[in-house]
């Protein structure tokens, strides 16, 4: 009992009484933009303003500050805002072009060490200053960071390949895998700026190695076995344009001296220019063959980009080799960066058409 | 011991002196019509406690019209055996015992020449009839409840357990009140260790006025300063009998309609009489809801305070904004807001419980609508806090027997959560369970039966299995049961 009493007495000293803050007195940071400037770093924080009301009556404002280091810039924001920043519900962190070119790990490390920073926070890069992205007027949400984060939460869009703080750290620490971060940019549309995803930045180590256009993103997701759904456009010489939806897909790797990527696709017809009868086995087989050819070609393009243009193994072929043949990986690991551009990657696609009763004939 | 001397006049004077403090005691001298002077009697009884019609018809009238025989004889023996018409009579020479009998409704007859008086069972005081207990109402079960009369309460038990296996031990407690108490148990099922402990503790009871079963309970219970009850109570004879069938002991106190059952385990807190008279499925759901209710009641407020003050990252973002928005402009820190509302809720509950049902419901509406709504609109308190407190309060009422432990545990956990967040809450929960595991009730572990032991005690703890699967009795206490 005495020990228990002693534990009770010292307990407040051991744990975070300092974490105490009334919920309405916290300065909730919903988004952060980090830019590198000639004199150091510039940080722009989007702060959520909560107004009195029965529901969630919110708006946002941005506060910017500069400093010699990222930490210094953050401290300068404290001076401006006068309140301790709370990162527990930060939705998006956007890195400007100079940041992604050199210093991204420094910022990620700093944020991941904040005790309140959530690992599910989404990371983005930007070809324009990150602060401009954060300062733009949101179109559908009340807060811009929420809108940007939401771009990645669209389940059915294959282009929405998100990178959260934890996946970034996991990829960075896994041997044989390079990291990627989706890139957002602003376009002028109907008299206003809107933010949209333009592709993904591929890194080599902590610096950007290249950029993968958005047309490659679904195939990049497929190669990483993260694709949930998508469309395949086929240009049939006789039947015209045919669109097939990927109902289910899985990708598996067999890695040895040369890698084999096997992709299994279940497809269903979405749209067709012709009145073909998809119930016929011959037609189904023909469509599957076409889809396999299309898929193989696209994946070939993707690997060509990654191996020859960018030179970064963001798909994680090295990690697949390490998992399946550790002895081979031990030989390859030290020079994997040089080996990867010339590493032979074969693709085998097995497609089948399902839900053949659903055709697109007119009513 | 103060005994009768055999000197008629001297004994009457002594009895008069002994009973002089009670002005309701009636003394009546009389003698048989025939052979006047040889036999004389003096009757003592307490007006209002004894049935005077019975005394007149069956005691005084037969003695007055009696013709005593020739020769020497002991009048007391002769009158007791041949003259009076009462079912219960005995002879006694201890004057203190005689005075106690008079004060408890019996009538005492002193006879000239006898050194022993006759005690006749003539109790006839007014008492309340058996009614359904307010706190243990059932829809489908029996409506009978214990009354304040010990013998009547015993009859309720004996009517349900018609077996010689039922043992009843009468004892007297309270140096002044001299209250009769009955220890009831089924000899074949009783937990012997608990019975021995009970007897020893009852011997040590040192209190002058035992007026209710709680006076005894507080003196014989384990862990006297714990808010958790280690002796059970019931006002229902069917519940008392069911407990005895499980191997428990039932202690009845004269003057109290509440029977004590022991040992009393934590699992019993969640049991109610209604569950045994409805479908086992409904009973199991009801019991699980009560367990959840207690857990919610104890933990919702401390967890809410811990999360909003220390760990708001655990909240969904939308909820965070909603809570934060409603907290804007509230002057009190959330912990004081919670304390104020908890106090207000308990005051309203107590006020509602102590007032007549019509006013009680009005009070609840006034409390809930006027106070709650007005306080939120005036921004004294935030709306989510009102919801949390109301939820905690209402779930706490689900198990009436746990109200004191719930209030104290909730306050303790609230204090820990308000100072150290979730860590404090977890420490409080661990400490609470450690303390509960250390507790005993009459030799049985307080948390006994909460696990899935081999003795099948789980059959009637978190859920109630069908009666067809409950083959053995004494499950929770005596191991394998019988």
């Amino acid at each position: 009992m005495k020990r228990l009493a002693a534990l009770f007495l010292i307990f407040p000293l051991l744990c975070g009484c300092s974490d105490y803050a009334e919920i309405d007195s916290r300065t909730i940071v919903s988004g952060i933009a980090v830019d590198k400037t000639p004199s150091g770093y510039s940080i722009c924080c989007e702060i959520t303003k909560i107004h009195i009301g029965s529901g969630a009556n919110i708006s946002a404002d941005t506060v910017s500050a500069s400093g010699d280091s990222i930490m210094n810039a953050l401290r300068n924001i404290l001076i401006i805002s006068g309140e301790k920043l709370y990162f527990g519900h930060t939705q998006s962190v956007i890195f400007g072009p100079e940041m992604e070119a050199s210093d991204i790990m420094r910022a990620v490390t700093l944020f991941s060490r904040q005790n309140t920073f959530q690992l599910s926070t989404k990371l983005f890069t930007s070809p324009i200053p990150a602060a401009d992205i954060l300062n733009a007027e949101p179109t559908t949400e009340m807060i811009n960071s929420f809108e940007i984060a939401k771009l990645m939460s669209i389940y059915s869009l294959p282009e929405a390949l998100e990178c959260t703080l934890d996946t970034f750290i996991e990829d960075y620490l896994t041997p044989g895998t390079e990291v990627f971060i989706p890139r957002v940019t602003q376009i002028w549309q109907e008299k206003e700026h809107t933010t949209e995803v333009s592709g993904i930045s591929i890194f080599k180590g902590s610096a950007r190695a290249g950029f993968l256009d958005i047309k490659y993103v679904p195939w990049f997701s497929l190669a990483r076995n993260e694709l949930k759904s998508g469309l395949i456009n086929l240009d049939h010489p006789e039947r015209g344009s045919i669109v097939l939806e990927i109902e289910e897909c899985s990708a598996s790797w067999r890695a040895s001296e040369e890698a084999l990527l096997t992709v299994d696709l279940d497809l269903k017809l979405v749209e067709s220019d012709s009145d073909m009868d998809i119930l016929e086995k011959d037609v189904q087989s023909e469509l599957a063959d076409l889809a396999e050819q299309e898929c193989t070609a696209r994946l070939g393009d993707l690997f060509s980009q990654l191996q020859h243009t960018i030179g970064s193994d963001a798909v994680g072929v090295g990690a697949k080799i390490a998992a399946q043949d550790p002895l081979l990986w031990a030989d390859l690991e030290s020079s994997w960066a040089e080996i990867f551009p010339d590493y032979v990657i074969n693709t085998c696609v097995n497609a089948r058409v399902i839900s053949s009763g659903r055709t697109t004939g007119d009513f | 011991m103060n005994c009768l001397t055999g000197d008629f006049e001297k004994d009457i004077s002594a009895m008069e002196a002994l009973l002089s403090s009670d002005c309701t005691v009636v003394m009546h001298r009389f003698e048989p019509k025939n052979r006047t002077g040889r036999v004389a009697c003096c009757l003592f009884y307490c007006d209002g406690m004894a049935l005077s019609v019975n005394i007149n018809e069956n005691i005084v009238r037969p003695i007055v019209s009696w013709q005593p025989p020739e020769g020497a004889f002991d009048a007391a023996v002769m009158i007791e055996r041949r003259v009076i018409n009462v079912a219960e009579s005995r002879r006694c020479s201890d004057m203190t015992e005689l005075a106690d009998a008079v004060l408890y409704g019996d009538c005492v007859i002193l006879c000239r020449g006898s050194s022993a008086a006759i005690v006749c069972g003539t109790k006839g005081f007014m008492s309340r009839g058996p009614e359904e207990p307010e706190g243990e109402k059932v829809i489908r079960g029996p409506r009978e409840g214990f009354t304040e009369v010990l013998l009547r309460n015993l009859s309720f038990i004996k009517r349900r357990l018609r077996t010689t296996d039922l043992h009843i031990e009468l004892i007297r407690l309270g140096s002044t009140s001299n209250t009769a108490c009955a220890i009831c148990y089924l000899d074949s099922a009783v937990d012997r260790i608990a019975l021995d402990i009970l007897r020893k503790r009852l011997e040590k009871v040192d209190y002058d006025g035992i007026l209710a079963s709680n006076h005894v309970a507080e003196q014989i219970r384990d862990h006297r300063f714990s808010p958790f009850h280690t002796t059970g109570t019931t006002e229902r004879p069917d519940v008392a009998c069911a407990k005895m069938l499980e191997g428990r002991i039932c202690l009845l106190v004269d003057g109290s309609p509440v029977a004590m059952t022991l040992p009393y385990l934590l699992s019993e807190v969640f049991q109610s009489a209604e569950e045994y008279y409805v479908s086992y499925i409904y009973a199991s759901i009801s019991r699980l809801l009560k367990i959840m209710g207690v857990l919610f009641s104890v933990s919702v407020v401390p967890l809410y305070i811990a999360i909003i003050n220390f760990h708001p990252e655990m909240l969904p973002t939308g909820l965070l904004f909603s809570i934060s928005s409603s907290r804007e402009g509230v002057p009190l820190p959330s912990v004081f807001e919670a304390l104020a509302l908890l106090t207000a809720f308990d005051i309203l509950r107590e006020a509602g419980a102590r007032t007549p049902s019509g006013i009680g419901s009005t009070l609840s509406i006034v409390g809930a609508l006027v106070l709650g709504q007005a306080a939120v609109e005036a921004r004294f308190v935030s709306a989510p806090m009102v919801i949390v407190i109301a939820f905690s309060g209402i779930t706490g009422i689900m198990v009436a027997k746990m109200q004191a432990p719930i209030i104290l545990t909730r306050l303790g956990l609230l204090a820990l959560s308000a100072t150290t967040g979730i860590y404090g809450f977890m420490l409080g929960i661990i400490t609470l369970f450690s303390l509960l595991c250390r507790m005993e009730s009459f030799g049985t572990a307080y948390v006994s039966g909460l696990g899935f032991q081999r003795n099948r005690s789980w059959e009637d703890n978190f859920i109630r299995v069908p009666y067809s699967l409950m083959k053995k009795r004494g499950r929770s206490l005596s191991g394998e049961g019988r």
Side-chain angles (χ1 to χ4, degrees), chain B residues 179-197:
Chain B
T179 310
C181 302
I183 305 169
C184 310
Y185 56 89
L186 285 176
D187 194 46
S188 64
V190 72
D191 184 350
R192 297 275 164 200
I193 298 166
L195 190 60
D196 290 342
I197 294 172

PDB file of all heavy atoms in Angstrom, chain B residues 179-197:
ATOM      1  N   THR B 179     -32.372  -7.274  20.464  1.00  0.00           N
ATOM      2  CA  THR B 179     -33.068  -7.608  19.221  1.00  0.00           C
ATOM      3  C   THR B 179     -32.844  -9.062  18.830  1.00  0.00           C
ATOM      4  O   THR B 179     -31.705  -9.551  18.858  1.00  0.00           O
ATOM      5  CB  THR B 179     -32.546  -6.693  18.090  1.00  0.00           C
ATOM      6  OG1 THR B 179     -32.593  -5.346  18.543  1.00  0.00           O
ATOM      7  CG2 THR B 179     -33.360  -6.846  16.828  1.00  0.00           C
ATOM      8  N   ALA B 180     -33.928  -9.706  18.459  1.00  0.00           N
ATOM      9  CA  ALA B 180     -33.814 -11.090  18.004  1.00  0.00           C
ATOM     10  C   ALA B 180     -33.337 -11.109  16.560  1.00  0.00           C
ATOM     11  O   ALA B 180     -33.819 -10.335  15.728  1.00  0.00           O
ATOM     12  CB  ALA B 180     -35.169 -11.772  18.123  1.00  0.00           C
ATOM     13  N   CYS B 181     -32.392 -11.985  16.280  1.00  0.00           N
ATOM     14  CA  CYS B 181     -31.889 -12.144  14.916  1.00  0.00           C
ATOM     15  C   CYS B 181     -31.898 -13.626  14.567  1.00  0.00           C
ATOM     16  O   CYS B 181     -31.748 -14.472  15.461  1.00  0.00           O
ATOM     17  CB  CYS B 181     -30.462 -11.624  14.780  1.00  0.00           C
ATOM     18  SG  CYS B 181     -30.288  -9.908  15.214  1.00  0.00           S
ATOM     19  N   ALA B 182     -32.072 -13.940  13.305  1.00  0.00           N
ATOM     20  CA  ALA B 182     -32.109 -15.341  12.888  1.00  0.00           C
ATOM     21  C   ALA B 182     -31.079 -15.581  11.796  1.00  0.00           C
ATOM     22  O   ALA B 182     -31.018 -14.846  10.821  1.00  0.00           O
ATOM     23  CB  ALA B 182     -33.504 -15.689  12.386  1.00  0.00           C
ATOM     24  N   ILE B 183     -30.255 -16.614  12.022  1.00  0.00           N
ATOM     25  CA  ILE B 183     -29.298 -17.023  10.988  1.00  0.00           C
ATOM     26  C   ILE B 183     -29.925 -18.211  10.260  1.00  0.00           C
ATOM     27  O   ILE B 183     -30.229 -19.231  10.886  1.00  0.00           O
ATOM     28  CB  ILE B 183     -27.953 -17.461  11.612  1.00  0.00           C
ATOM     29  CG1 ILE B 183     -27.391 -16.358  12.509  1.00  0.00           C
ATOM     30  CG2 ILE B 183     -26.962 -17.858  10.543  1.00  0.00           C
ATOM     31  CD1 ILE B 183     -26.220 -16.809  13.364  1.00  0.00           C
ATOM     32  N   CYS B 184     -30.140 -18.067   8.978  1.00  0.00           N
ATOM     33  CA  CYS B 184     -30.794 -19.127   8.204  1.00  0.00           C
ATOM     34  C   CYS B 184     -29.828 -19.642   7.142  1.00  0.00           C
ATOM     35  O   CYS B 184     -29.132 -18.851   6.505  1.00  0.00           O
ATOM     36  CB  CYS B 184     -32.045 -18.604   7.507  1.00  0.00           C
ATOM     37  SG  CYS B 184     -33.145 -17.712   8.585  1.00  0.00           S
ATOM     38  N   TYR B 185     -29.800 -20.923   6.968  1.00  0.00           N
ATOM     39  CA  TYR B 185     -28.963 -21.513   5.915  1.00  0.00           C
ATOM     40  C   TYR B 185     -29.423 -22.923   5.620  1.00  0.00           C
ATOM     41  O   TYR B 185     -30.148 -23.531   6.421  1.00  0.00           O
ATOM     42  CB  TYR B 185     -27.484 -21.508   6.326  1.00  0.00           C
ATOM     43  CG  TYR B 185     -27.200 -22.205   7.632  1.00  0.00           C
ATOM     44  CD1 TYR B 185     -26.922 -23.565   7.677  1.00  0.00           C
ATOM     45  CD2 TYR B 185     -27.207 -21.497   8.831  1.00  0.00           C
ATOM     46  CE1 TYR B 185     -26.662 -24.198   8.879  1.00  0.00           C
ATOM     47  CE2 TYR B 185     -26.960 -22.123  10.042  1.00  0.00           C
ATOM     48  CZ  TYR B 185     -26.677 -23.487  10.061  1.00  0.00           C
ATOM     49  OH  TYR B 185     -26.444 -24.118  11.247  1.00  0.00           O
ATOM     50  N   LEU B 186     -29.012 -23.417   4.478  1.00  0.00           N
ATOM     51  CA  LEU B 186     -29.271 -24.821   4.137  1.00  0.00           C
ATOM     52  C   LEU B 186     -28.031 -25.613   4.532  1.00  0.00           C
ATOM     53  O   LEU B 186     -26.936 -25.337   4.018  1.00  0.00           O
ATOM     54  CB  LEU B 186     -29.543 -24.960   2.643  1.00  0.00           C
ATOM     55  CG  LEU B 186     -30.917 -24.494   2.169  1.00  0.00           C
ATOM     56  CD1 LEU B 186     -31.022 -24.591   0.666  1.00  0.00           C
ATOM     57  CD2 LEU B 186     -32.024 -25.302   2.812  1.00  0.00           C
ATOM     58  N   ASP B 187     -28.205 -26.539   5.408  1.00  0.00           N
ATOM     59  CA  ASP B 187     -27.062 -27.214   6.012  1.00  0.00           C
ATOM     60  C   ASP B 187     -26.198 -27.927   4.966  1.00  0.00           C
ATOM     61  O   ASP B 187     -24.988 -27.973   5.085  1.00  0.00           O
ATOM     62  CB  ASP B 187     -27.568 -28.211   7.061  1.00  0.00           C
ATOM     63  CG  ASP B 187     -26.435 -28.682   7.949  1.00  0.00           C
ATOM     64  OD1 ASP B 187     -25.660 -27.813   8.399  1.00  0.00           O
ATOM     65  OD2 ASP B 187     -26.299 -29.897   8.151  1.00  0.00           O
ATOM     66  N   SER B 188     -26.823 -28.490   3.945  1.00  0.00           N
ATOM     67  CA  SER B 188     -26.052 -29.272   2.975  1.00  0.00           C
ATOM     68  C   SER B 188     -25.308 -28.383   1.981  1.00  0.00           C
ATOM     69  O   SER B 188     -24.367 -28.829   1.342  1.00  0.00           O
ATOM     70  CB  SER B 188     -26.980 -30.214   2.205  1.00  0.00           C
ATOM     71  OG  SER B 188     -27.899 -29.445   1.460  1.00  0.00           O
ATOM     72  N   ALA B 189     -25.712 -27.149   1.845  1.00  0.00           N
ATOM     73  CA  ALA B 189     -25.103 -26.285   0.825  1.00  0.00           C
ATOM     74  C   ALA B 189     -24.255 -25.171   1.409  1.00  0.00           C
ATOM     75  O   ALA B 189     -23.450 -24.579   0.699  1.00  0.00           O
ATOM     76  CB  ALA B 189     -26.200 -25.662  -0.039  1.00  0.00           C
ATOM     77  N   VAL B 190     -24.418 -24.904   2.697  1.00  0.00           N
ATOM     78  CA  VAL B 190     -23.816 -23.687   3.259  1.00  0.00           C
ATOM     79  C   VAL B 190     -22.292 -23.722   3.208  1.00  0.00           C
ATOM     80  O   VAL B 190     -21.676 -24.791   3.297  1.00  0.00           O
ATOM     81  CB  VAL B 190     -24.309 -23.483   4.706  1.00  0.00           C
ATOM     82  CG1 VAL B 190     -23.687 -24.503   5.653  1.00  0.00           C
ATOM     83  CG2 VAL B 190     -24.021 -22.070   5.166  1.00  0.00           C
ATOM     84  N   ASP B 191     -21.736 -22.549   3.037  1.00  0.00           N
ATOM     85  CA  ASP B 191     -20.293 -22.397   3.074  1.00  0.00           C
ATOM     86  C   ASP B 191     -19.888 -22.372   4.561  1.00  0.00           C
ATOM     87  O   ASP B 191     -20.136 -21.399   5.263  1.00  0.00           O
ATOM     88  CB  ASP B 191     -19.927 -21.070   2.383  1.00  0.00           C
ATOM     89  CG  ASP B 191     -18.439 -20.864   2.271  1.00  0.00           C
ATOM     90  OD1 ASP B 191     -17.689 -21.631   2.888  1.00  0.00           O
ATOM     91  OD2 ASP B 191     -18.033 -19.929   1.558  1.00  0.00           O
ATOM     92  N   ARG B 192     -19.280 -23.469   5.024  1.00  0.00           N
ATOM     93  CA  ARG B 192     -18.981 -23.625   6.467  1.00  0.00           C
ATOM     94  C   ARG B 192     -18.032 -22.539   6.971  1.00  0.00           C
ATOM     95  O   ARG B 192     -18.159 -22.069   8.099  1.00  0.00           O
ATOM     96  CB  ARG B 192     -18.348 -24.993   6.729  1.00  0.00           C
ATOM     97  CG  ARG B 192     -19.258 -26.147   6.394  1.00  0.00           C
ATOM     98  CD  ARG B 192     -20.184 -26.451   7.561  1.00  0.00           C
ATOM     99  NE  ARG B 192     -21.269 -27.285   7.099  1.00  0.00           N
ATOM    100  CZ  ARG B 192     -22.425 -27.437   7.701  1.00  0.00           C
ATOM    101  NH1 ARG B 192     -22.678 -26.755   8.809  1.00  0.00           N
ATOM    102  NH2 ARG B 192     -23.345 -28.219   7.225  1.00  0.00           N
ATOM    103  N   ILE B 193     -17.088 -22.190   6.125  1.00  0.00           N
ATOM    104  CA  ILE B 193     -16.110 -21.176   6.565  1.00  0.00           C
ATOM    105  C   ILE B 193     -16.851 -19.864   6.830  1.00  0.00           C
ATOM    106  O   ILE B 193     -16.635 -19.216   7.860  1.00  0.00           O
ATOM    107  CB  ILE B 193     -15.031 -20.985   5.477  1.00  0.00           C
ATOM    108  CG1 ILE B 193     -14.282 -22.292   5.269  1.00  0.00           C
ATOM    109  CG2 ILE B 193     -14.069 -19.865   5.836  1.00  0.00           C
ATOM    110  CD1 ILE B 193     -13.437 -22.333   4.023  1.00  0.00           C
ATOM    111  N   ALA B 194     -17.723 -19.516   5.922  1.00  0.00           N
ATOM    112  CA  ALA B 194     -18.478 -18.264   6.088  1.00  0.00           C
ATOM    113  C   ALA B 194     -19.344 -18.320   7.340  1.00  0.00           C
ATOM    114  O   ALA B 194     -19.456 -17.331   8.079  1.00  0.00           O
ATOM    115  CB  ALA B 194     -19.343 -18.022   4.856  1.00  0.00           C
ATOM    116  N   LEU B 195     -19.923 -19.490   7.607  1.00  0.00           N
ATOM    117  CA  LEU B 195     -20.795 -19.642   8.774  1.00  0.00           C
ATOM    118  C   LEU B 195     -20.002 -19.457  10.079  1.00  0.00           C
ATOM    119  O   LEU B 195     -20.449 -18.762  11.000  1.00  0.00           O
ATOM    120  CB  LEU B 195     -21.454 -21.023   8.724  1.00  0.00           C
ATOM    121  CG  LEU B 195     -22.576 -21.286   9.722  1.00  0.00           C
ATOM    122  CD1 LEU B 195     -23.723 -20.303   9.534  1.00  0.00           C
ATOM    123  CD2 LEU B 195     -23.088 -22.716   9.598  1.00  0.00           C
ATOM    124  N   ASP B 196     -18.827 -20.060  10.119  1.00  0.00           N
ATOM    125  CA  ASP B 196     -17.985 -19.907  11.320  1.00  0.00           C
ATOM    126  C   ASP B 196     -17.582 -18.449  11.516  1.00  0.00           C
ATOM    127  O   ASP B 196     -17.612 -17.927  12.640  1.00  0.00           O
ATOM    128  CB  ASP B 196     -16.723 -20.780  11.185  1.00  0.00           C
ATOM    129  CG  ASP B 196     -17.071 -22.252  11.270  1.00  0.00           C
ATOM    130  OD1 ASP B 196     -18.179 -22.562  11.757  1.00  0.00           O
ATOM    131  OD2 ASP B 196     -16.253 -23.082  10.839  1.00  0.00           O
ATOM    132  N   ILE B 197     -17.182 -17.811  10.414  1.00  0.00           N
ATOM    133  CA  ILE B 197     -16.758 -16.405  10.518  1.00  0.00           C
ATOM    134  C   ILE B 197     -17.928 -15.554  11.007  1.00  0.00           C
ATOM    135  O   ILE B 197     -17.771 -14.691  11.881  1.00  0.00           O
ATOM    136  CB  ILE B 197     -16.243 -15.895   9.149  1.00  0.00           C
ATOM    137  CG1 ILE B 197     -14.965 -16.619   8.760  1.00  0.00           C
ATOM    138  CG2 ILE B 197     -15.993 -14.391   9.183  1.00  0.00           C
ATOM    139  CD1 ILE B 197     -14.492 -16.333   7.340  1.00  0.00           C
TER     140      ILE B 197
END
